[in-house]
Amino acid sequence: MLTVHHLDNSRSQRILWLLEELQLPYEVRAYKRGSDRLAPPELKSVHPLGRAPVLTEGATTLAETGAIVDYILETHARGRLMPVQDSPDYWTCRHFLHYAEGSAMPPLFLGLVLSVIAERTPALVRPVIRTAMDKANEAFVAPQTQAHVDYWEASLKTTGWFAGPAFSVADVMMSFPIEAASARLNFSARPLLRDFLARIHARPAYRAALERGGPYAYAS
Ligand SMILES: N[C@@H](CCC(=O)N[C@@H](CS)C(=O)NCC(=O)O)C(=O)O
C-alpha cells in the first residue's frame, strides 16, 4: 500500500492530489507542525531528513517531492498525466518536474526566512534587522521572485497548462510554488496564473485530496 506521510499545510498535499488524479488507493499518516512551524520529530523516524512529503511502499521509503512523483509515475501511472514520451511536451514536463523545487521554490523560501528573522528579532534591534532584511529582499529575493512569476505567466500563454495541451503532472508540481507565491504577492496583473489556480482548485481530485489531507491554507 502507498502511504503518504503528510504534514499539514505543506507540499505533501501535492502527492495526495496526484494520487487522487490517478485514482490510486493510498493511506495518509498525518503529522502536525509545532508552534515553530517545523515538522514533529516523529517524521525523522520515517526518514532522517524529517520533512514532508515521505512516501513508503513495501521496502521503499522516499523523500523529496520530485523523486516521489517519479516513483509514482514509473511504478503506478502507466503513462497517465505525462505527455507522450520523447515529444517536446514530454521534456517540457520533465523540466517543470525539476524546476518547481530546484529553482522556483528557493527564492520564495528565502523570502519566508527573511520575514521570520525580522519577526523573531528582539524588539530593541528589530528596526535595524528589518532594514537589513528589506535590503536583502530588494537586492535578491524580490527580483528573483518576479522573474520566476513572469516565467510562469508566460508558460501558461499557449494552452493554460504547463506542458502541452492537456493537464499533466507538471501542473501538479507547479501548483505549490504558485499557491505559495499567490499568498504573498499581488496576482491582480497575473490573469493566467489566477485562472490556473481557479481551474486546479475546482478539479474533483484536488477537492478529494483536501478532504484526505485536512486544512490547507493555499486552497482558495
Ligand atoms: N524539496 C523538498 C522540501 C521538503 C520540505 O521542506 N518540506 C516542508 C513542508 S512544505 C517541511 O517538511 N517543513 C517542516 C520542517 O522543515 O520541519 C521536497 O520537495 O520534498
Side-chain angles (χ1 to χ4, degrees), residues 38-131:
L38 298 178
E42 303 93 85
L43 202 45
K44 282 211 171 82
S45 63
V46 184
H47 189 281
L49 290 174
R51 293 182 146 193
V54 177
L55 183 83
T56 53
E57 185 181 46
T60 303
T61 299
L62 263 185
E64 198 62 48
T65 310
I68 292 170
V69 166
D70 275 343
Y71 176 84
I72 293 169
L73 290 174
E74 285 184 25
T75 56
H76 294 281
R78 299 187 314 275
R80 289 174 295 161
L81 294 188
M82 279 295 284
V84 178
Q85 190 134 20
D86 288 335
S87 63
D89 290 340
Y90 175 89
W91 288 110
T92 303
C93 189
R94 285 269 168 222
H95 159 73
F96 281 113
L97 292 188
H98 288 273
Y99 163 83
E101 284 297 321
S103 294
M105 281 309 295
L108 293 171
F109 181 68
L110 191 52
L112 179 71
V113 170
L114 294 183
S115 65
V116 170
I117 292 173
E119 264 170 37
R120 293 187 185 177
T121 302
L124 200 63
V125 286
R126 196 172 300 145
V128 179
I129 297 296
R130 199 174 282 283
T131 305

Side-chain angles (χ1 to χ4, degrees), residues 7 9-12 14 33 37-40 43 50-53 63-66 68 101 109 173 176:
L7 183 67
N9 278 318
S10 83
R11 288 161 166 89
S12 45
R14 261 184 313 199
R33 288 178 192 270
R37 303 189 206 177
L38 298 178
L43 202 45
R51 293 182 146 193
E64 198 62 48
T65 310
I68 292 170
E101 284 297 321
F109 181 68
M173 211 48 205
F176 189 74

